[in-house]
Amino acid sequence: MKNSLRYLLFSLGVGLAIALVPRLSIFQSPDMVMAQGTSQTISPQRLANHLKKINAKMYGAYWCPACMKQKELFGSAFKTINYIECDARGTNGQPELCKQANIRAYPTWEINGKRYEGVYPLEGLAQLSGYQGR
């Protein structure tokens, strides 16, 4: 009975988190202020190629609603992103890498030696990574 109650509470929590995904606001840091003013259209595939070329990484977890939102912004181009799954239960889970990198939140981007926590619009990732749209 005790385990059944735990499972029910866990399931309700996961369901609530998934239901709230469309309502999550995009994380904004001071680095994002200038990116919001851009009107540049970003190609998700070209940006993903650039991020791969500069060895940018996204740390996340398969169950994380914010990570799902970040993946949605890239669409099918996300397969190009250097993604590190931090939960051992996820596909190709590498929790030891996340622990070594001291990842505290999902998603966490590592771009040009700096860390950025949260969901970023493509324009913000372009600015943070020096993407010029080529």
Side-chain angles (χ1 to χ4, degrees), residues 50 54 111-112 125-133:
H50 168 73
I54 66 166
I111 302 171
N112 296 326
L125 290 170
Q127 182 176 354
L128 293 172
S129 67
Y131 176 67
Q132 300 296 315

Side-chain angles (χ1 to χ4, degrees), residues 26 44 67-78 119-122 125:
I26 295 196
C67 299
M68 290 176 211
K69 183 69 174 168
Q70 187 71 78
K71 291 175 184 180
E72 285 174 14
L73 292 174
F74 278 96
S76 63
F78 189 78
V119 177
Y120 281 83
L122 298 183
L125 290 170

Side-chain angles (χ1 to χ4, degrees), residues 12 17 27 29 34 42 56 83-84 121 128:
L12 288 172
F27 178 83
S29 74
M34 291 172 36
I42 303 290
Y83 172 71
I84 294 114
L128 293 172

Side-chain angles (χ1 to χ4, degrees), residues 70-112:
Q70 187 71 78
K71 291 175 184 180
E72 285 174 14
L73 292 174
F74 278 96
S76 63
F78 189 78
K79 67 183 178 282
T80 305
I81 299 294
N82 185 4
Y83 172 71
I84 294 114
E85 173 62 50
C86 292
D87 191 313
R89 298 169 295 177
T91 304
N92 299 319
Q94 300 178 67
E96 63 287 343
L97 283 180
C98 300
K99 186 176 180 180
Q100 288 171 359
N102 198 28
I103 300 303
R104 305 173 311 155
Y106 306 134
T108 293
W109 284 94
E110 188 175 293
I111 302 171
N112 296 326

